[in-house]
Amino acid sequence: MERERGTVQRRAEIAQLLQREGAVGVGELAARFGVSAPTIRRDLGWLVSQGLARRARGGALVAGGEAATASANTLPARIGRAAAGMVQEGETVFLSPGLFSLGLARALAGRKQLTVVTNGLAVAQEIAEHTLHTLILTGGQLEREEQGLAGRLTLAALEELRADRVFLELSGVSAVAGLTDDSLPQAELARLLLSLGGQVIVLVAPERVGRVAAAYVGPVSEADVVVTGREADSAPLWDLAEAGVRVVLA
């Protein structure tokens, strides 16, 4: 019974955070409540089933579209603005699925004449509804938890594309272990995206800097820039800088 009360209280607090901030990340919530990432994913799944949240890669969004008007100081918004500052008008950019990529998509609303390629459903919806940018959405099979498209059709579509900048949201960045991700299908896509040419910018949660996720993407030298929150530990950030990667703190 005590455990059930703890679950109910935690889910209520997560719902309140969603209403206040518009978006929440699995890693942030796990650290905040002192529970495992799978536990948080179950909590978010329950909130989705109750119509209180929408799934997004790496976390959840508040239901009903209110996230677009949420606080501009949330971590996804901060990282999105920092990443958007690297984009020049007229460029073709690729955005992977994820909360930080969604923050980037929102930050690109004021730009002109961009071509945005994505395999993320929430990212595509944001670009389609709130900008006049040319939008290219890859085909593929939907990964519901990631809210991203993957598989043979996605790979085939990306093989035909080139981008000036590739924005990859990953689950782990380490100077020693390289670029990694929790999703095997998305990691496979990321490996292909590294070869699209142009600048590679990795978006990563502060608590995942210096960490290693399940699926290997490539050496850290494949990333030109890593964008993360200013809350990240300084030691792994120094390691990245010494490895020749530009680090941007949002």
Side-chain angles (χ1 to χ4, degrees):
M1 184 66 94
E2 189 66 33
R3 182 176 179 181
E4 289 181 4
R5 278 200 295 268
T7 299
V8 170
Q9 181 177 352
R10 186 177 62 250
R11 289 174 177 175
E13 290 184 27
I14 292 173
Q16 290 173 355
L17 281 171
L18 270 170
Q19 290 297 325
R20 185 167 67 248
E21 300 187 2
V24 292
V26 171
E28 297 172 77
L29 294 176
R32 182 188 185 105
F33 292 104
V35 297
S36 67
T39 295
I40 292 297
R41 291 192 184 99
R42 286 192 292 271
D43 290 341
L44 296 180
W46 183 86
L47 291 173
V48 170
S49 72
Q50 301 301 306
L52 299 173
R54 292 183 292 138
R55 279 287 192 188
R57 187 188 199 291
L61 305 171
V62 68
E66 294 93 338
T69 58
S71 169
N73 292 319
T74 64
L75 183 61
R78 283 159 41 202
I79 289 180
R81 286 196 301 270
M86 305 174 196
V87 178
Q88 303 297 317
E89 291 190 2
E91 290 186 335
T92 297
V93 295
F94 175 87
L95 276 62
S96 70
L99 291 176
F100 303 142
S101 295
L102 185 58
L104 170 56
R106 289 182 178 137
L108 293 176
R111 301 299 181 86
K112 298 178 181 179
Q113 300 177 339
L114 294 178
T115 298
V116 179
V117 184
T118 185
N119 65 320
L121 294 190
V123 170
Q125 183 178 10
E126 180 68 25
I127 294 296
E129 293 182 356
H130 299 289
T131 80
L132 295 177
H133 300 323
T134 299
L135 172 64
I136 300 175
L137 179 62
T138 69
Q141 180 174 331
L142 175 64
E143 288 190 292
R144 295 191 182 278
E145 182 169 343
E146 303 289 333
Q147 284 296 289
L149 301 172
R152 184 179 59 81
L153 291 175
T154 313
L155 288 168
L158 292 177
E159 286 174 351
E160 301 298 321
L161 297 170
R162 295 295 179 269
D164 296 294
R165 301 181 204 277
V166 173
F167 293 91
L168 291 177
E169 184 165 331
L170 298 178
S171 307
V173 176
S174 165
V176 176
L179 310 175
T180 54
D181 197 60
D182 286 330
S183 168
L184 271 66
Q186 294 299 328
E188 182 181 17
L189 290 174
R191 285 193 289 272
L192 173 61
L193 287 164
L194 294 178
S195 67
L196 289 186
Q199 188 181 43
V200 175
I201 301 103
V202 174
L203 314 179
V204 61
E207 69 271 13
R208 303 302 298 183
V209 177
R211 302 285 296 280
V212 182
Y216 181 72
V217 174
V220 74
S221 58
E222 293 283 0
D224 297 297
V225 184
V226 168
V227 184
T228 189
R230 53 182 176 266
E231 303 89 343
D233 289 341
S234 59
L237 293 175
W238 278 111
D239 291 340
L240 290 174
E242 290 186 353
V245 179
R246 179 187 169 202
V247 176
V248 174
L249 299 180

